[in-house]
Amino acid sequence: MSGERIQRCSVTERGLHGDRVFAVIDQETGKVASAKHPAMWRELLLHSARLVHENEMSLEVTTPRGEMHHLPSDAANESLSRELKRAVAYNSQAPKAMKLDRLDPTSLIDKTAEVSIEQQLIARAAPEGTFFDFGPLHIITTNTLATLSSTGTVDLTDAARFRANIIVDCPDGGGGFIENTWTGRTLRFGDELSVRIITPTPRCAVPTLEHRGLSANVDILRALVKYNRLEVRGVGARPCAGVYGHPISPGEIEIGAPVRFIE
């Protein structure tokens, strides 16, 4: 689902406060419902969610029809099941070894490629009981967005497609996918928050799909395959944009905070 832009937030080892506190679970398979498997779940990207009560971790979901539901509630589960034509439920408890299905995105740009659906363990580099794809934080730079924009495949206003938690502006960083070189380094955001960069972020089908306010655009994936295909440990060569990070010291983060390397 689409998220929200916020001015300020606290960050712990479990990521941004309120991020991914719920997931949609397929009641038949027990897996996380994810638009990484577009044939099953692409409609999820037309919904949006926002945190309404921070202390109670209550969320408000807006459907493509404009209906609003609060989580957790039976009404929200029933509404989403009707929208998706499949029994699903919002869940705030992630059991061990939770999985989702992921389309090999190669088939989106090569129609001769075999359509392959992979099973993916979630939260492999995040605390137990969380719903993150991999690590607790996803970071992308304006430099990467500008590089993609220069290929004519994406507009700088399309940052929401990449679903990053944090966008870093590096005006002196030059062009290109500059965060490719950050793995193993530590960033300090403001005065408190420190984040160790884990790995580049392999891209799935999601950035190419229609989101609320954004049309489908498979050329994004073509550009990443052409210009930023990287070897990612454990998964092989993948088109990448952005990096995953792990908070090693908690703190507050806000728009406009300075960012620097401390290791």
Side-chain angles (χ1 to χ4, degrees):
M1 296 186 181
S2 299
E4 60 178 327
R5 180 186 175 96
I6 54 177
Q7 180 68 35
R8 161 181 311 105
C9 188
S10 61
V11 182
T12 68
E13 66 171 1
R14 300 178 75 88
L16 271 69
H17 178 72
D19 185 32
R20 305 204 184 203
V21 292
F22 287 91
V24 177
I25 306 300
D26 183 352
Q27 297 299 280
E28 180 180 332
T29 66
K31 297 177 184 177
V32 173
S34 169
K36 292 176 185 291
H37 187 345
M40 289 284 292
W41 307 114
R42 71 173 69 228
E43 298 297 321
L44 284 171
L45 296 176
L46 303 181
H47 295 69
S48 64
R50 70 182 187 93
L51 190 65
V52 290
H53 296 297
E54 292 191 10
N55 294 334
E56 299 174 6
M57 287 297 184
S58 177
L59 272 68
E60 181 183 79
V61 170
T62 303
T63 74
R65 303 171 189 270
E67 299 173 0
M68 290 183 287
H69 299 280
H70 283 83
L71 304 185
S73 71
D74 290 340
N77 293 340
E78 293 164 4
S79 172
L80 189 58
S81 295
R82 287 195 302 271
E83 291 277 350
L84 299 177
K85 298 180 175 60
R86 190 173 178 92
V88 296
Y90 294 96
N91 195 334
S92 61
Q93 301 296 321
K96 290 183 179 179
M98 196 72 179
K99 296 180 179 179
L100 55 77
D101 289 329
R102 179 186 189 274
L103 171 72
D104 179 352
T106 304
S107 61
L108 295 176
I109 56 176
D110 181 0
K111 298 304 181 183
T112 66
E114 181 180 353
V115 175
S116 173
I117 303 297
E118 311 160 338
Q119 286 196 49
Q120 174 183 313
L121 283 172
I122 68 168
R124 286 172 292 162
E128 186 176 307
T130 59
F131 289 112
F132 299 106
D133 289 344
F134 185 71
L137 288 177
H138 177 209
I139 300 165
I140 198 167
T141 64
T142 54
N143 309 63
T144 284
L145 296 173
T147 298
L148 285 170
S149 181
S150 70
T151 70
T153 59
V154 63
D155 189 274
L156 286 175
T157 59
D158 287 0
R161 289 186 183 279
F162 298 97
R163 305 171 65 77
N165 298 115
I166 302 170
I167 300 175
V168 177
D169 183 21
C170 302
D172 300 324
F177 301 91
I178 64 171
E179 57 269 49
N180 288 353
T181 64
W182 292 2
T183 298
R185 302 191 70 182
T186 300
L187 288 172
R188 171 67 57 81
F189 295 84
D191 297 325
E192 301 175 326
L193 175 65
S194 297
V195 177
R196 176 67 55 81
I197 304 303
I198 305 170
T199 186
T201 305
R203 303 319 310 199
C204 59
V206 170
T208 73
L209 303 176
E210 180 183 2
H211 290 57
R212 288 178 73 94
L214 296 171
S215 60
N217 184 354
V218 75
D219 287 339
I220 294 169
L221 189 61
R222 290 193 179 97
L224 290 174
V225 167
K226 183 176 181 179
Y227 297 110
N228 204 43
R229 191 176 178 90
L230 305 176
E231 284 291 331
V232 179
R233 185 177 179 181
V235 296
R238 296 290 175 95
C240 295
V243 287
Y244 284 118
H246 180 77
I248 57 176
S249 64
E252 296 281 327
I253 188 171
E254 63 180 351
I255 293 176
V259 183
R260 66 187 188 280
F261 287 109
I262 57 174
E263 289 183 24

